[in-house]
Amino acid sequence: MTERILVVGGALYAGGRLLAARRSAPAHLAGRWELPGGKVEPGEDPEQALVRELREELGVEVKLLERVPGEWPLERPGYVLRVWAAELISASPEGVRPLEDHDALRWLAPDELWDVDWLEHDRPAVTEAARWHAHRS
C-alpha cells in the first residue's frame, strides 16, 4: 500500500475574491494555476503546515477559517489535497507577492474563477471553496 501524503491548500479570500497562484515549477506544472499551499511535514498538523506554506510561498500571515469539505487525490499516488478557507491578516491583497514556486498571482471574482487554467486536481477543490464562500457571504 502506498503511503498517504497530505497536501494542504489555502482558499485565500479577500474582498470576495479568491487567490490563484501560477506554478513556476516543476516544468510539467509550470504555467498552470493552483491554490497555494504544500506538503504537511512529519510531526506537523495540517493547519500549521498551511500557515507555514503560505508564509513561505507568499510572505503572508493568515487566519484559517474552516476546512472546505472534501479531499482530492493528486497526480502522485498516495497524495491527497485538503483545503482550508483563509483570510489575510498581515497584508492587503495588492501587497501579496509570489516568493516560492509561483511566478504570478490573481485575485479572482466569483465570475472569473474559470478564467485561469487550474491544475486538474485543484478544479474540484476550487468548486468546493467557491460553494463554501457563497454560503458564507
Side-chain angles (χ1 to χ4, degrees), residues 26-96:
H28 73 286
L29 301 178
R32 307 282 306 279
W33 296 79
E34 69 177 357
L35 298 172
K39 190 168 63 170
V40 177
E41 298 298 335
E44 199 174 35
D45 74 35
E47 292 89 349
Q48 290 172 326
L50 183 54
V51 168
R52 175 187 52 76
E53 286 286 347
L54 294 175
R55 185 181 303 126
E56 290 172 1
E57 291 183 1
L58 306 172
V60 298
E61 297 300 325
V62 299
K63 176 184 175 186
L64 300 186
L65 302 174
E66 189 175 320
R67 185 166 160 223
V68 173
E71 181 175 280
W72 303 277
L74 301 180
E75 66 180 15
R76 293 177 73 178
Y79 280 63
V80 295
L81 174 66
R82 290 186 190 162
V83 172
W84 275 259
E87 63 183 11
L88 287 173
I89 60 173
S90 68
S92 68
E94 297 75 26
V96 180

Side-chain angles (χ1 to χ4, degrees), residues 65-130:
L65 302 174
E66 189 175 320
R67 185 166 160 223
V68 173
E71 181 175 280
W72 303 277
L74 301 180
E75 66 180 15
R76 293 177 73 178
Y79 280 63
V80 295
L81 174 66
R82 290 186 190 162
V83 172
W84 275 259
E87 63 183 11
L88 287 173
I89 60 173
S90 68
S92 68
E94 297 75 26
V96 180
R97 299 284 178 263
L99 301 177
E100 281 185 7
D101 303 325
H102 303 102
D103 61 5
L105 303 174
R106 281 189 60 187
W107 290 96
L108 302 169
D111 64 344
E112 299 172 325
L113 283 183
W114 307 109
D115 289 358
V116 299
D117 185 18
W118 292 101
L119 292 169
E120 282 78 11
H121 58 262
D122 275 47
R123 291 173 184 262
V126 169
T127 298
E128 285 304 313

